[in-house]
Amino acid sequence: MIELLVVLALSGIIFSMALLVFTIVKQQTLHQEKTHETVWAWSQLQLLLQKDLQQAGQVRRAGAVLTLSGKAWDIEYQFSSSYITRTLQGTTTHTDTFNITTTTWESQWQGVSVTAGLVDHLILESRLFEQPTTLVVHKKYGSHAILNANTND
């Protein structure tokens, strides 16, 4: 009878240890998935911002919204402290949401900070994995666009 109790106690201990190992591995997997999603979202945002700014004819800011105007489409980036949305408006509306915390973002026109009007420089600051991260994107306008720019809309 004592042997049965000892075997039962040892089985319980071994089962508890196996469950603990399983829980630790699952937590690590969830952490790795979250890390991957954050890195993927940041790299996608960086790629899309750079591509969209270069393809846009004009980039304008109005409050927390950055509007990129192209020949056949408009793209709006909306910045909040806990996420960034990218809305493509054309034949259909498509929205991407990036779960990236934004500490600050600044738009500039020819080196001067602007909150409304034409933009040629975007600075986005965030914290990834408790480290400050900065994304700087430039819009290259042609001389004709700069001469005809009306920054006081």
Side-chain angles (χ1 to χ4, degrees):
M1 181 74 173
I2 289 196
E3 294 88 13
L4 184 62
L5 288 175
V6 169
V7 168
L8 188 60
L10 287 175
S11 297
I13 291 171
I14 291 171
F15 182 74
S16 297
M17 291 174 66
L19 189 60
L20 177 65
V21 168
F22 177 75
T23 304
I24 291 171
V25 168
K26 183 170 175 124
Q27 288 175 347
Q28 287 296 325
T29 302
L30 291 175
H31 176 71
Q32 290 297 324
E33 285 177 4
K34 183 174 174 153
T35 301
H36 173 72
E37 287 174 5
T38 303
V39 169
W40 180 84
W42 182 256
S43 64
Q44 284 296 109
L45 177 65
Q46 182 177 0
L47 176 74
L48 287 171
L49 262 173
Q50 289 174 344
K51 180 183 75 79
D52 292 343
L53 257 69
Q54 295 312 315
Q55 290 180 351
Q58 280 192 344
V59 180
R60 294 193 172 275
R61 178 178 178 177
V65 177
L66 195 66
T67 303
L68 294 76
S69 300
K71 292 182 181 179
W73 50 261
D74 285 340
I75 297 176
E76 287 185 355
Y77 282 89
Q78 186 164 5
F79 298 88
S80 77
S81 59
S82 57
Y83 62 89
I84 299 169
T85 60
R86 174 186 181 263
T87 305
L88 174 62
Q89 298 176 346
T91 56
T92 60
T93 300
H94 176 78
T95 301
D96 295 314
T97 302
F98 302 96
N99 291 320
I100 296 173
T101 56
T102 306
T103 53
T104 60
W105 73 285
E106 179 185 9
S107 56
Q108 296 179 353
W109 172 252
Q110 296 182 342
V112 178
S113 183
V114 293
T115 57
L118 207 55
V119 173
D120 68 350
H121 193 93
L122 178 67
I123 303 167
L124 177 66
E125 294 180 356
S126 182
R127 293 189 68 79
L128 295 178
F129 313 113
E130 300 304 319
Q131 298 295 322
T133 305
T134 303
L135 172 62
V136 179
V137 184
H138 300 277
K139 166 68 179 149
K140 298 176 184 173
Y141 287 100
S143 59
H144 185 268
I146 292 174
L147 290 173
N148 292 327
N150 181 6
T151 59
N152 299 323
D153 281 354

